Amino acid sequence: MARDTRTRMIYGAARMIGTRGVGAMSLRDLAKEAGVPIGSTYHHFPGGRQQLIEEAIRTIGGAVTRRIEVGRERGPVAALDAFGDEWRAVLEDTGFSSGCPVFSVATGDDPGLRDIATEVLESWQASLADVLSDAGIDPGRAPRLAMFVVAAIEGAVALCQAEQSIAPLRDTMTEIHHLVDDALGDR
């Protein structure tokens, strides 16, 4: 898929953060990997590295939220699967070298970036909670269940990287399906 320079840089930064961590993301390495002149980074991101990381996290956050919303039209299980499939694709496409850049930033040491990543994680939880609530799960339980889903999938992504296998994510998704089915049965 052909993308403009700015978009390639945003997605390249997200991939680098998911692979190396936020502290190891450099503009020089990004320019090299994205195949753009280093000057392009300052042209497109006058705020430098900080601006690029912020935009990368917000962009990835928005893309995942859109996948959840598209899945929502087919029901809660499809929305949950859309969330899990996003990370399955990242893991498989990178040979398990890259995980979730949002989680990487959320656990980093920059408070400003951590706040942005936390907002993104909370937005995923809110979207999933809405999906679950709309499906009939108790609105008091839906936010807790959504938080559990995000935590479980993010943890599974880390295990997949450690084990170099998609099995932890696959097994986590199976258990999430059972949990959601049980919650729907409790209506």
Side-chain angles (χ1 to χ4, degrees), residues 67-151:
R67 284 195 72 167
I68 293 168
E69 291 303 319
V70 167
R72 171 188 215 150
E73 297 169 6
R74 296 186 320 268
V77 171
L80 294 169
D81 286 345
F83 186 60
D85 286 346
E86 177 73 20
W87 303 122
R88 180 197 47 75
V90 168
L91 290 161
E92 290 179 343
D93 291 350
T94 64
F96 301 97
S97 69
S98 189
C100 176
V102 176
F103 190 73
S104 179
V105 171
T107 59
D109 60 1
D110 182 309
L113 291 173
R114 192 171 48 240
D115 288 347
I116 292 168
T118 299
E119 287 173 20
V120 169
L121 292 169
E122 289 170 350
S123 75
W124 294 345
Q125 292 172 52
S127 291
L128 289 169
D130 288 346
V131 168
L132 296 169
S133 204
D134 289 351
I137 292 175
D138 174 23
R141 182 178 183 196
R144 292 189 311 272
L145 186 53
M147 183 273 307
F148 176 82
V149 167
V150 171

Side-chain angles (χ1 to χ4, degrees), residues 44-64:
H44 292 289
F45 304 96
R49 181 179 180 276
Q50 188 83 4
Q51 180 187 358
L52 177 56
I53 293 169
E54 289 175 12
E55 290 194 36
I57 297 311
R58 290 185 197 282
T59 298
I60 294 301
V64 172

